[in-house]
């Protein structure tokens, strides 16, 4: 089993220079993944997700991917259509060659919450063995334009809608004959049955994410969680910045010296040469510079930039080498 974590996503995000916070497309196919997790926290701005050819048995933990437009879950172990209602931008869904059962047709209607969904692939699943499979799906999903790669025509939709009650009765009859618990088959993780008041929001905040029902209260609760997380991260960033520039007093960092304002006053005794090499520059000072020894030559460079040197030639007088933060008096 290979868990979906930051390291895995970063390895698969080379096309985005390893940046995961702005990642819009990721391919996680053939990674022996058994459980979908972490995507909503690590890369919320995903638009395209390739996660086919894995061992995933349940569609879960996708509710934070509000911008997901295409999800490829082909060749996995998925048995039920659920937990996709909050993927509000989903336009194309591929569940080819999974184990979506005939009973799972009773949860196909949850995809109506994905009002942008126009392209669906269910071929290769046990549900396709039901005789009225295509008509049932076409009549149930009103916005669908293509099913299993074949366009849904207006005449097909009209015919399927007219036959839907008959097909539904036949489906329920076969499921009962197979010993399927109809009520349990109809259950989905995201139900819309809560009112958006403060008591409901408080209840949602105490509920694990994968058990939360989809309702206005859930949206408010998750927005508050996101805001709290953002505030916490901003606080930590501020603490790090403050610690970086503060003197910790423990000797682990070099204490910062106060910034100079201007230059110190020149001494009145001009007969003594002095220097304040606060920048720790390498320099050469020659009192007998010039053709007739009438000048001083000061040549200096910063240790960090030994190839960058500055030379000043001036008459024998007070020399201010402002650029190197020290002065010399003769």
């Amino acid at each position: 089993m290979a868990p979906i974590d930051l390291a895995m996503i970063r390895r698969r995000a080379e096309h985005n220079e390893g940046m995961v916070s702005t990642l819009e497309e990721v391919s996680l196919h053939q990674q022996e993944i058994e459980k979908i997790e972490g995507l909503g926290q690590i890369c919320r701005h995903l638009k395209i997700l390739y996660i086919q050819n894995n061992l995933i048995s349940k569609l879960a933990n996708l509710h934070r991917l509000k911008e997901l437009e295409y999800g490829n879950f082909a060749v996995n172990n998925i048995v039920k259509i659920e937990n996709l209602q909050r993927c509000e931008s989903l336009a194309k869904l591929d569940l080819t060659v999974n184990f979506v059962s005939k009973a799972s047709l009773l949860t196909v209607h949850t995809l109506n919450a994905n009002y942008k969904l126009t392209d669906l692939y269910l071929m290769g699943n046990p549900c396709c063995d039901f005789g009225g499979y295509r008509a049932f799906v076409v009549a149930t999903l009103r916005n669908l334009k293509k099913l299993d790669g074949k366009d849904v025509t207006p005449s097909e939709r009209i015919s399927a809608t007219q036959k839907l009650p008959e097909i539904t009765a036949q489906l329920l009859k076969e499921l009962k004959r197979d010993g399927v618990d109809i009520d349990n088959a109809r259950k989905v993780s995201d139900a819309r049955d809560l009112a958006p008041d403060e008591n409901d929001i408080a209840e949602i905040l105490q509920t694990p994410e994968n058990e939360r029902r989809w309702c206005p209260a859930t949206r408010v609760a998750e927005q508050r969680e996101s805001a709290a997380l953002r505030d916490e991260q901003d606080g930590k960033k501020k603490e790090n910045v403050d610690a970086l520039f503060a003197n910790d007093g423990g000797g682990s960092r070099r204490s910062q010296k106060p910034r100079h304002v201007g230059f110190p006053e020149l001494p009145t005794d001009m007969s003594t040469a002095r220097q304040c090499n606060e920048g720790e520059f390498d320099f050469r000072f020659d009192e007998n510079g010039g053709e007739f020894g009438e000048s001083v030559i000061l040549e200096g460079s910063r240790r960090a930039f030994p190839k960058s040197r500055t030379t000043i030639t001036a008459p024998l007088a007070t020399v201010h080498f402002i650029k190197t933060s020290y002065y010399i008096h003769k």
Side-chain angles (χ1 to χ4, degrees):
M1 174 180 178
I4 301 176
D5 55 17
L6 178 61
M8 174 185 288
I9 295 179
R10 198 181 295 280
R11 288 196 305 268
R12 310 295 291 188
E14 294 179 355
H15 60 285
N16 200 46
E17 298 182 349
M19 296 288 293
V20 298
S21 60
T22 59
L23 192 62
E24 296 185 354
E25 178 179 339
V26 66
S27 179
L28 301 175
H29 64 284
Q30 295 180 328
Q31 297 293 306
E32 298 183 356
I33 298 170
E34 297 183 11
K35 181 181 179 181
I36 301 174
E37 56 188 351
L39 291 175
Q41 289 76 24
I42 299 174
C43 43
R44 285 194 173 192
H45 299 291
L46 272 184
K47 293 184 178 181
I48 301 176
L49 172 61
Y50 296 100
I51 198 167
Q52 68 272 24
N53 289 87
N54 282 291
L55 304 171
I56 298 167
S57 59
K58 184 177 182 179
L59 292 170
N61 301 319
L62 297 165
H63 55 283
R64 294 184 184 274
L65 300 181
K66 306 295 186 182
E67 301 176 28
L68 185 65
E69 298 176 0
Y70 173 37
N72 189 333
F73 302 91
V75 196
N76 276 284
N77 296 334
I78 298 168
V79 298
K80 194 172 187 178
I81 300 173
E82 58 183 346
N83 296 323
L84 293 171
Q85 296 96 310
R86 295 185 234 184
C87 299
E88 301 167 355
S89 301
L90 189 64
K92 182 177 180 180
L93 175 63
D94 193 343
L95 294 170
T96 301
V97 192
N98 275 274
F99 294 92
V100 179
S101 63
K102 182 165 55 177
S104 188
L105 289 175
L106 297 178
T107 63
V108 166
H109 69 89
T110 61
L111 295 178
N112 277 321
N114 310 100
Y115 61 94
K116 293 184 179 181
L117 182 65
T118 58
D119 197 355
L120 175 64
Y121 287 82
L122 286 171
M123 62 177 67
N125 285 278
C127 63
C128 298
D129 296 335
F130 174 60
Y133 147 74
R134 183 176 176 88
F136 181 87
V137 174
V138 168
T140 302
L141 302 180
R142 299 177 295 275
N143 295 325
L144 204 63
K145 296 181 179 180
K146 185 178 292 186
L147 177 60
D148 294 333
K150 182 179 178 181
D151 291 339
V152 177
T153 62
S155 59
E156 181 185 15
R157 187 177 300 280
I158 293 173
S159 176
T161 302
Q162 293 172 343
K163 295 178 181 178
L164 183 60
E166 178 184 347
I167 296 173
T168 302
Q170 180 63 30
L171 175 61
L172 295 175
K173 180 179 178 180
E174 292 187 13
L175 292 177
K176 290 180 179 179
R177 183 189 63 195
D178 296 339
V180 175
D181 185 339
I182 302 299
D183 292 335
N184 186 60
R186 283 175 169 160
K187 288 181 179 179
V188 292
S189 299
D190 287 338
R192 300 169 182 258
D193 57 359
L194 287 180
D197 58 44
E198 291 299 324
N199 291 333
D200 292 330
I201 294 172
E203 178 184 350
I204 290 296
L205 289 172
Q206 299 299 321
T207 305
E209 288 188 2
N210 61 340
E211 298 178 8
R212 291 179 179 177
R213 294 167 288 183
W214 174 236
C215 61
T218 300
R219 174 173 286 177
V220 173
E222 292 187 349
Q223 189 278 332
R224 292 180 182 179
E225 287 179 331
S226 299
L229 179 60
R230 182 175 61 252
D231 292 342
E232 181 182 356
Q233 292 174 343
D234 291 343
K236 289 181 178 179
K237 289 180 180 179
K238 186 179 184 303
E239 290 178 2
N240 292 336
V241 172
D242 292 342
L244 181 63
F245 291 100
N247 181 11
D248 60 4
S252 59
R253 296 189 186 92
R254 182 178 178 179
S255 300
Q256 292 187 345
K257 297 180 180 179
R259 184 182 296 274
H260 284 294
V261 179
F263 288 90
E265 294 293 331
L266 295 177
T268 57
D269 182 7
M270 303 298 293
S271 62
T272 304
R274 304 182 181 186
Q275 68 173 18
C276 299
N277 191 4
E278 295 182 0
E280 298 181 358
F281 293 87
D282 293 327
F283 68 93
R284 178 178 68 86
F285 181 71
D286 187 358
E287 296 182 350
N288 300 314
E291 183 177 357
F292 302 104
E294 77 285 359
S295 302
V296 294
I297 297 178
L298 179 62
E299 183 180 57
S301 67
R302 191 73 181 269
R303 290 182 181 178
F305 307 98
K307 294 183 179 180
S308 176
R309 303 188 67 85
T310 302
T311 302
I312 294 179
T313 302
L316 283 171
T318 301
V319 178
H320 295 272
F321 193 13
I322 299 175
K323 194 172 184 180
T324 59
S325 300
Y326 66 85
Y327 58 87
I328 299 175
H329 306 288
K330 176 66 178 175

